[in-house]
Amino acid sequence: MGPSRFQARGWGQERFGQHGRLLPYVQHADYPLTKAALIQAMRLRIGKTVRALKRFLLADGVKLEASSRCQLKCVVCPTAKGENRKGTIGWGDLTLETFERFVRNNRRIRHIELSNWGEIFLNPALNEILSVAHRRGIKLTANNGVNFNSVRDDTLEALAKYRFRSLTIAIDGATPESYREYRRGGDFNRVIANIEKLNQFKRRHRSRYPVLTWQFVIFGHNEHELDRARAMARSLGMNFSPTFNAEGWGPQFSPVKDRDLVRARSGIGAASFTEFREKYRRELVMPCQDMWLSPQINWDGKMLGCCVNVWGDYGNVFESSLDECLAGEKYRYAQKMLLGHAAARSDIPCVKCHFYQRHALTRTLASSWPLRIARRVLLAKAV
């Protein structure tokens, strides 16, 4: 098969990524690169930008972790290694009473992300939390990720019945053997069975929700299964979202072996976060945006600001209020510091983060004229 019209005009993968910055939004990397693929990628990028702008203007979203507990022993995860349990994050669940009080006291909040460091399905009150949110018209998501190993059937039905908006399920492999290399204690077949059950409940309740995404962290031991996993995701009615091995948590586990294969088959155009930064002069995912768009709150009310933060907090929204924490001097100073308009301060948790240490936000916001405008808007809100 010959090149598509877009390839003939020079719009191959390299140019597609560099000029439109849309490569990460393409669902797969199969050639030929068509007009339909470009349009789809543009719609996804524009849609994401519009949603972020709406969230910024309305200030109607937060991230509120349902549970910091997890039953798996994923190799490099701070939760699995017990580090989070002893620190700021702790070990526990959001209670129904606390959730009801929070949404009652913050009526402008219409979107809540429930996942962060733990597994939301370990929260015994989750079904009731879903019911309360549905009754109040609050959209719930778990896009940070779930492992989906331990989910009761009544909870699977509640996800469909109460129109839980979206779930990102971490499945790092297309076979039980590759999956358990990293997701230790997990069961690949059980996860797939739970997805199939959830799809049955979606059909029963005639709901397109939750929208499901298969997150595939690319390791050296599973890189050869990218195409197979993508096909399985499609057969299960899921989006497919490959991503890279985490950085900033010490030595990498199972680093990529065939970098050319990963560049070609991931749809991202790179083989690691570092390579992506060097190639496109920006981060794959906008860093630090939680501090403005959707502040992260711990299960016990600590205002973390960002989903990466495990080092300290900016007050407690259950003890004072959400608005007081966001308007606090420490929080506003952190925002200015992240934008490069204030010096590093030892009491700000961000100083310990690898994103801040390499000036990830300021570099990304300087990478294009729309982002330079966004930087001015973010700074204005931080003052």
Side-chain angles (χ1 to χ4, degrees):
M1 182 181 292
S4 68
R5 286 184 298 151
F6 279 82
Q7 285 174 299
R9 295 174 188 172
W11 285 90
Q13 272 196 340
E14 295 298 318
R15 190 174 175 90
F16 188 57
Q18 292 171 344
H19 287 247
R21 306 197 173 200
L22 299 171
L23 195 55
Y25 295 86
V26 183
Q27 292 298 308
H28 54 81
D30 299 333
Y31 277 85
L33 185 60
T34 63
K35 181 178 179 180
L38 176 60
I39 292 173
Q40 180 199 33
M42 291 176 66
R43 284 175 176 170
L44 288 168
R45 182 67 182 268
I46 292 170
K48 191 170 185 178
T49 302
V50 169
R51 287 193 297 273
L53 179 60
K54 182 180 178 182
R55 189 67 49 82
F56 176 78
L57 294 174
L58 297 179
D60 65 347
V62 296
K63 297 181 176 181
L64 176 58
E65 179 154 53
S67 178
S68 67
R69 299 184 298 122
C70 188
Q71 78 279 43
L72 301 192
K73 299 294 180 183
C74 301
V75 182
V76 300
C77 178
T79 300
K81 293 193 290 186
E83 297 171 3
N84 285 350
R85 187 169 187 165
K86 297 177 290 186
T88 298
I89 304 302
W91 191 259
D93 302 313
L94 175 69
T95 67
L96 175 63
E97 178 185 2
T98 303
F99 180 79
E100 288 183 309
R101 185 169 65 251
F102 176 80
V103 296
R104 187 170 58 248
N105 292 341
N106 298 278
R107 296 183 182 277
R108 76 172 188 276
I109 300 300
R110 312 312 300 163
H111 302 79
I112 299 179
E113 162 68 31
L114 292 180
S115 61
N116 194 24
W117 288 107
E119 175 68 1
I120 71 171
F121 297 107
L122 298 185
N123 187 323
L126 185 62
N127 289 11
E128 290 77 15
I129 288 173
L130 267 58
S131 176
V132 168
H134 180 70
R135 195 164 58 247
R136 289 181 169 271
I138 297 170
K139 298 175 182 177
L140 298 180
T141 60
N143 293 332
N144 200 314
V146 300
N147 66 59
F148 221 52
N149 275 267
S150 305
V151 194
R152 302 195 315 260
D153 284 359
D154 60 332
T155 302
L156 290 171
E157 182 166 19
L159 291 169
K161 178 180 178 181
Y162 297 128
R163 304 302 193 263
F164 194 94
R165 276 309 193 263
S166 55
L167 277 174
T168 295
I169 304 174
I171 314 174
D172 311 318
T175 62
E177 292 74 25
S178 62
Y179 174 81
R180 62 173 173 253
E181 280 290 315
Y182 182 74
R183 302 283 166 187
R184 297 188 179 173
D187 185 323
F188 177 84
N189 292 326
R190 185 190 305 143
V191 173
I192 299 302
N194 285 337
I195 294 170
E196 291 171 341
K197 285 183 187 177
L198 176 55
N199 283 335
Q200 291 174 5
F201 284 122
K202 287 169 66 175
R203 288 191 290 270
R204 180 183 301 177
H205 289 276
R206 298 181 180 180
S207 173
R208 64 183 294 260
Y209 298 114
V211 175
L212 303 177
T213 297
W214 179 315
Q215 177 187 277
F216 187 103
V217 178
I218 306 169
F219 294 105
H221 64 265
N222 69 8
E223 59 191 21
H224 62 287
E225 295 183 346
L226 270 164
D227 287 344
R228 183 174 177 181
R230 180 180 288 113
M232 291 181 68
R234 190 178 301 120
S235 70
L236 291 165
M238 304 176 72
N239 298 318
F240 186 69
S241 179
T243 189
F244 298 129
N245 203 339
E247 296 178 351
W249 290 358
Q252 279 201 334
F253 171 77
S254 187
V256 164
K257 299 173 184 175
D258 189 339
R259 301 181 72 84
D260 288 336
L261 180 145
V262 172
R263 291 185 193 104
R265 309 312 298 172
S266 67
I268 304 174
S272 68
F273 285 117
T274 299
E275 183 180 316
F276 186 93
R277 282 195 301 273
E278 293 172 350
K279 191 173 185 179
Y280 300 112
R281 302 184 301 279
R282 67 183 182 91
E283 300 289 332
L284 178 59
V285 178
M286 177 69 74
C288 313
Q289 61 181 314
D290 291 353
M291 293 286 289
W292 285 268
L293 301 185
S294 190
Q296 178 71 57
I297 303 167
N298 204 38
W299 62 274
D300 59 359
K302 294 189 189 80
M303 171 54 76
L304 303 177
C306 167
C307 64
V308 178
N309 178 20
V310 296
W311 305 284
D313 63 74
Y314 299 92
N316 191 300
V317 303
F318 298 161
E319 295 173 2
S320 56
S321 73
L322 174 61
D323 290 336
E324 285 181 51
C325 289
L326 295 178
E329 185 276 337
K330 187 176 179 181
Y331 196 91
R332 291 294 177 90
Y333 190 92
Q335 290 179 318
K336 289 184 283 188
M337 193 181 82
L338 290 169
L339 292 169
H341 275 256
R345 210 171 78 182
S346 61
D347 65 323
I348 304 297
C350 306
V351 298
K352 298 180 180 179
C353 178
H354 65 282
F355 284 114
Y356 175 72
Q357 291 168 0
R358 65 167 182 261
H359 308 290
L361 181 61
T362 53
R363 290 178 186 273
T364 299
L365 292 177
S367 65
S368 68
W369 68 264
L371 290 175
R372 287 192 286 273
I373 294 173
R375 182 176 181 273
R376 295 183 181 182
V377 175
L378 295 179
L379 182 61
K381 192 168 184 180
V383 174

